[in-house]
Amino acid sequence: MSVQIERHHFNVDEYYRMGAAGIFSEDDRVELIEGEVIRMSPIGSRHAACVDRIVNALLSRFAGHGAIVRVQNPIQLDEYSEPQPDVSLLHLRDDFYANSHPTPADVLLLVEVADSSIEYDRVIKVPLYARAGIMEVWLVDLTKDTIEFYAQPLNGAYQISQHATSGESLTSSSIPALTLSAESILG
């Protein structure tokens, strides 16, 4: 006997109405992924330090040069997904995205840092970013001290996939002159 259940997938407007109604508190770490509200993992000290290193590296290269560096803020991919990547590098906009969250066209680079959530990020979020047309994603795997590099989305999948470990560097395929050593990211 097969049991069929019907799931309700929330859209972005419903997600924000739930927040306004107090269903989520400001301290709840959740994001909307393909219509489902997903609780995010707590941020450990190594994760936080890695995010800080990435932010410092990007700010030193792009502050005042036509880009915005954001930390753990939403990107609206479509009507049913609004993840909060650890770091995003965005095209500069005069309102600093006060009037609406960035969309895929606004994104130069997304970075996810993961330890306990690595498989979720690799299997769910990276393909989600590819389907949305995000040009480049870096996935920092703290469990293996590896950085995975994904670029050139086509038909919902990244055409380029590379890895960098200690002693190697990552060079962006979509941002001229962006090269970072693995050590500068991993510590």
Side-chain angles (χ1 to χ4, degrees):
M1 175 179 181
S2 164
V3 176
Q4 298 294 322
I5 60 169
E6 184 176 331
R7 288 183 164 184
H8 176 78
H9 287 95
F10 299 101
N11 65 35
V12 171
D13 290 336
E14 292 168 327
Y15 175 64
Y16 278 95
R17 285 198 307 268
M18 288 189 300
I23 294 171
F24 313 124
S25 75
E26 286 187 24
D27 295 332
D28 285 337
R29 289 188 27 83
V30 296
E31 60 187 353
L32 185 66
I33 303 294
E34 296 183 322
E36 295 185 20
V37 178
I38 305 295
R39 185 170 308 281
M40 298 181 340
S41 299
I43 297 174
S45 59
R46 185 160 184 237
H47 182 285
C50 183
V51 169
D52 290 344
R53 280 192 291 278
I54 295 164
V55 168
N56 284 338
L58 293 176
L59 284 174
S60 71
R61 287 167 174 78
F62 296 103
H65 297 286
I68 297 171
V69 178
R70 287 184 123 191
V71 179
Q72 298 163 343
N73 281 321
I75 306 289
Q76 186 173 349
L77 299 181
D78 58 30
E79 187 179 354
Y80 294 97
S81 293
E82 194 174 89
Q84 296 178 33
D86 288 301
V87 180
S88 49
L89 184 64
L90 307 172
H91 289 286
L92 181 63
R93 209 166 83 179
D94 290 340
D95 71 345
F96 281 78
Y97 299 94
N99 295 315
S100 65
H101 287 307
T103 64
D106 300 310
V107 177
L108 297 165
L109 169 68
L110 288 186
V111 183
E112 291 284 2
V113 177
D115 37 31
S116 62
S117 67
I118 189 64
E119 285 306 311
Y120 177 78
D121 289 349
R122 187 180 293 124
V123 173
I124 302 297
K125 290 180 90 174
V126 169
L128 181 69
Y129 293 145
R131 289 192 303 274
I134 301 292
M135 294 306 296
E136 190 169 328
V137 174
W138 295 2
L139 177 59
V140 181
D141 182 348
L142 294 176
T143 67
K144 295 182 180 174
D145 288 329
T146 302
I147 304 158
E148 300 171 17
F149 170 95
Y150 300 93
Q152 296 183 7
L154 180 66
N155 299 323
Y158 285 109
Q159 304 306 297
I160 295 175
S161 173
Q162 299 172 343
H163 294 76
T165 59
S166 183
E168 299 176 330
S169 293
L170 283 162
T171 299
S172 172
S173 69
S174 59
I175 304 167
L178 176 58
T179 298
L180 295 177
S181 70
E183 285 86 5
S184 70
I185 294 171
L186 296 167

